[in-house]
């Protein structure tokens, strides 16, 4: 499998990596980075790869229009996550194009892949792309019971590339968490590879779950409205730290404000405001366990004051962040004692 990415106008190479397709669990993970500045754009890109897979996380700060030429040679499974910015995907061989929606996950199976991505000036673009060789993919899912029901897995097993359209769904908060773990983990040696394989398997399972949920009822909504609301939800999931107003959302997605609010409540059983609060509080719980201070959490989650964050947290959970930390500190000794007791008993 060969992965190549280049900004055409500046001749800047973002990725140029050739991988062995065979699954080899004993091969270490390699990491590489690209940090380039040109007249047209600043680029920060990070790759993690080994035999059978490559993960690419890229940020573009674009001053003048650029085109990212992307080529992947070889049979592979692709998972892509468009997290921010404006970009138009073009298929040169088929003379077709489409705008990429923020907060959307795409997955597909290709023999070869050639796309150009146009990105306009004054634009901040962030995406993650994961490429798995077919051999690596099969080894990863071969013992998973859910895989027998996954349409993508079945296409790969049958070597069926006829379904050329991407399978698309909204990126969820658990998916975002896995993406962060894939690029931030700091394990040594083979432990890093084992960890990445576990997280890739978890990511594939979540992508299967998200797609099966698309088959559920639209709750009386017409298909176009359902699709738009899914895009709204996806955008909020990736921008809950700085969410747009209802009026801004209405303009962004060309949807009447009343229809937007009523449709969102009808489909997801909650208001847009409550959904953003829910996302922030989920993230706050995770950050508490990672030793962030209350001040840091308040700032990162987009609150203008610490007191507002604390009052929102207490209203949501029934206790303050400080009280939550106290509960955690009190429960840890009990958990350690329980583990020690289990070890003593086993000995």
């Amino acid at each position: 499998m060969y992965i190549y990415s280049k900004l055409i106008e500046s001749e800047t190479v973002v990725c140029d990596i050739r991988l062995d397709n065979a699954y080899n669990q004993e091969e270490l993970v390699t990491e590489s980075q690209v940090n380039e500045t040109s007249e047209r754009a600043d680029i920060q890109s990070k790759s993690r790869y080994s035999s059978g897979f490559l993960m690419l996380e890229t940020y573009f700060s674009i001053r003048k229009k650029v085109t990212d030429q992307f080529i992947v040679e070889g049979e592979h499974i692709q998972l892509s996550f468009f997290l921010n910015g404006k970009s138009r995907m073009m298929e040169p061989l088929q003379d077709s194009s489409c705008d990429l929606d923020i907060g959307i996950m795409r997955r597909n199976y290709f023999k070869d892949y050639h796309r150009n991505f146009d990105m306009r000036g004054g634009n901040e673009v962030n995406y993650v792309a994961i490429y798995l060789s077919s051999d690596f993919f099969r080894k990863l899912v071969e013992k998973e019971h859910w895989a027998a029901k996954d349409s993508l897995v079945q296409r790969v097993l049958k070597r069926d590339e006829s379904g050329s359209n991407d399978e698309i769904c909204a990126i969820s908060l658990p998916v975002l968490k896995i993406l962060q773990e894939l690029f931030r983990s700091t394990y040594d040696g083979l432990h890093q590879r084992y960890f990445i394989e576990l997280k890739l398997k978890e990511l594939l399972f979540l992508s299967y779950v998200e797609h099966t949920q698309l088959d559920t009822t639209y709750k009386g909504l017409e298909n176009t409205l359902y699709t738009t609301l899914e895009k709204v939800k996806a955008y909020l999931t990736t921008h809950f730290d700085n969410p747009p107003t209802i009026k801004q959302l209405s303009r962004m997605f060309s949807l009447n404000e009343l229809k937007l609010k009523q449709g969102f409540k009808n489909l997801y059983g909650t208001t847009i405001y409550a959904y953003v609060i829910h996302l922030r509080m989920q993230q706050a719980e995770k950050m508490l366990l990672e030793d962030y201070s209350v001040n840091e959490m308040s700032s990162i989650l987009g609150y203008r004051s610490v007191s507002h964050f604390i009052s929102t947290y207490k209203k949501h959970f029934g206790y303050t962040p400080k009280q939550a930390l106290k509960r955690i500190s009190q429960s840890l000794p009990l958990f350690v004692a329980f583990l020690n007791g289990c070890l003593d008993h086993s000995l």
Side-chain angles (χ1 to χ4, degrees):
M1 186 167 61
Y2 175 59
I3 301 98
Y4 180 78
S5 169
K6 179 183 75 172
L7 295 188
I8 295 175
E9 292 81 1
S10 61
E11 295 288 323
T12 304
V13 175
V14 180
C15 183
D16 186 0
I17 297 173
R18 189 175 297 276
L19 301 172
D20 186 350
N21 289 336
Y23 177 82
N24 181 1
Q25 198 175 37
E26 301 307 310
E27 184 175 324
L28 297 177
V29 175
T30 300
E31 183 171 311
S32 64
Q33 296 190 29
V34 173
N35 292 284
E36 294 283 347
T37 298
S38 69
E39 178 187 0
R40 289 182 172 272
D42 297 333
I43 306 166
Q44 290 182 311
S45 182
K46 181 177 182 179
S47 301
R48 284 185 166 182
Y49 56 93
S50 187
S51 58
F53 74 87
L54 178 139
M55 309 182 303
L56 178 66
E57 180 182 33
T58 304
Y59 296 86
F60 293 110
S61 180
I62 301 163
R63 288 178 284 276
K64 296 182 180 179
K65 176 184 171 296
V66 293
T67 301
D68 186 5
Q69 180 187 47
F70 226 108
I71 298 172
V72 184
E73 296 178 356
E75 186 181 355
H76 69 281
I77 292 79
Q78 182 180 140
L79 304 173
S80 60
F81 309 84
F82 194 65
L83 301 174
N84 194 50
K86 296 179 180 179
S87 179
R88 187 165 186 81
M89 180 175 67
M90 298 179 293
E91 299 184 47
L93 301 179
Q94 298 184 17
D95 194 27
S96 62
S97 64
C98 68
D99 290 326
L100 297 181
D101 295 306
I102 294 173
I104 295 297
M105 170 175 62
R106 296 169 178 265
R107 60 181 205 160
N108 211 331
Y109 165 58
F110 298 101
K111 299 289 176 64
D112 290 296
Y113 178 85
H114 184 190
R115 302 287 188 277
N116 289 341
F117 297 88
D118 277 356
M119 296 173 283
R120 66 185 67 173
N123 185 18
E124 304 282 334
V125 173
N126 174 211
Y127 71 82
V128 170
I130 298 174
Y131 305 93
L132 312 175
S133 74
S134 56
D135 184 63
F136 180 90
F137 180 79
R138 291 187 185 98
K139 291 288 185 182
L140 211 57
V141 302
E142 63 182 358
K143 295 182 180 179
E144 301 299 316
H145 295 297
W146 57 266
K149 301 177 182 179
D150 189 336
S151 59
L152 179 64
V153 174
Q154 295 310 306
R155 282 175 53 202
V156 175
L157 294 178
K158 296 174 183 176
R159 305 178 73 91
D160 176 16
E161 199 192 8
S162 60
S164 58
N165 292 330
D166 292 333
E167 295 183 359
I168 298 172
C169 68
I171 298 171
S172 64
L173 204 59
V175 166
L176 277 179
K177 181 176 181 292
I178 293 173
L179 294 180
Q180 292 171 353
E181 291 171 334
L182 283 170
F183 286 95
R184 308 293 183 265
S185 60
T186 56
Y187 292 99
D188 293 326
L190 284 175
H191 289 162
Q192 180 76 295
R193 182 184 177 102
Y194 301 155
F195 177 81
I196 287 175
E197 286 193 16
L198 285 170
K199 286 299 168 181
L200 287 175
K201 190 179 294 187
E202 186 179 354
L203 183 61
L204 288 168
F205 171 71
L206 284 179
S207 77
Y208 156 71
V209 171
E210 295 291 342
H211 281 87
T212 54
Q213 288 177 345
L214 290 179
D215 295 331
T216 60
T217 176
Y218 290 179
K219 298 185 179 179
L221 299 174
E222 63 266 26
N223 189 29
T224 53
L225 178 57
Y226 173 82
T227 302
T228 301
L229 291 172
E230 276 285 278
K231 292 177 181 179
V232 170
K233 184 184 179 187
Y235 187 91
L236 293 172
T237 302
T238 54
H239 292 78
F240 62 83
D241 56 335
N242 185 27
T245 64
I246 297 293
K247 183 174 288 188
Q248 289 170 330
L249 275 175
S250 174
R251 290 174 180 170
M252 289 168 63
F253 293 95
S254 303
L255 193 61
N256 173 276
E257 287 186 37
L258 182 61
K259 203 169 186 179
L260 169 62
K261 291 189 289 186
Q262 290 181 343
F264 196 95
K265 179 71 180 293
N266 183 30
L267 183 59
Y268 303 115
T270 186
T271 65
I272 291 173
Y273 175 77
Y275 180 66
V276 170
I277 296 299
H278 171 71
L279 293 174
R280 285 176 165 179
M281 293 302 102
Q282 277 190 308
Q283 188 68 9
E285 274 195 306
K286 175 176 174 288
M287 294 170 76
L288 270 178
L289 296 174
E290 295 174 351
D291 293 329
Y292 282 87
S293 70
V294 173
N295 284 356
E296 288 172 328
M297 287 189 289
S298 174
S299 175
I300 292 171
L301 295 174
Y303 286 93
R304 294 183 179 179
S305 70
V306 176
S307 60
H308 185 202
F309 166 66
I310 292 174
S311 64
T312 303
Y313 189 98
K314 185 175 182 180
K315 185 177 180 180
H316 189 82
F317 292 110
Y319 44 82
T320 66
K322 185 177 180 179
Q323 290 169 333
L325 284 171
K326 187 176 180 181
R327 291 184 180 194
I328 293 170
S329 63
Q330 288 174 341
S331 63
L332 279 176
L334 295 174
F335 181 64
V336 171
F338 169 75
L339 287 179
N340 288 334
C342 290
L343 289 172
D344 291 341
H345 181 72
S346 64
L347 295 173

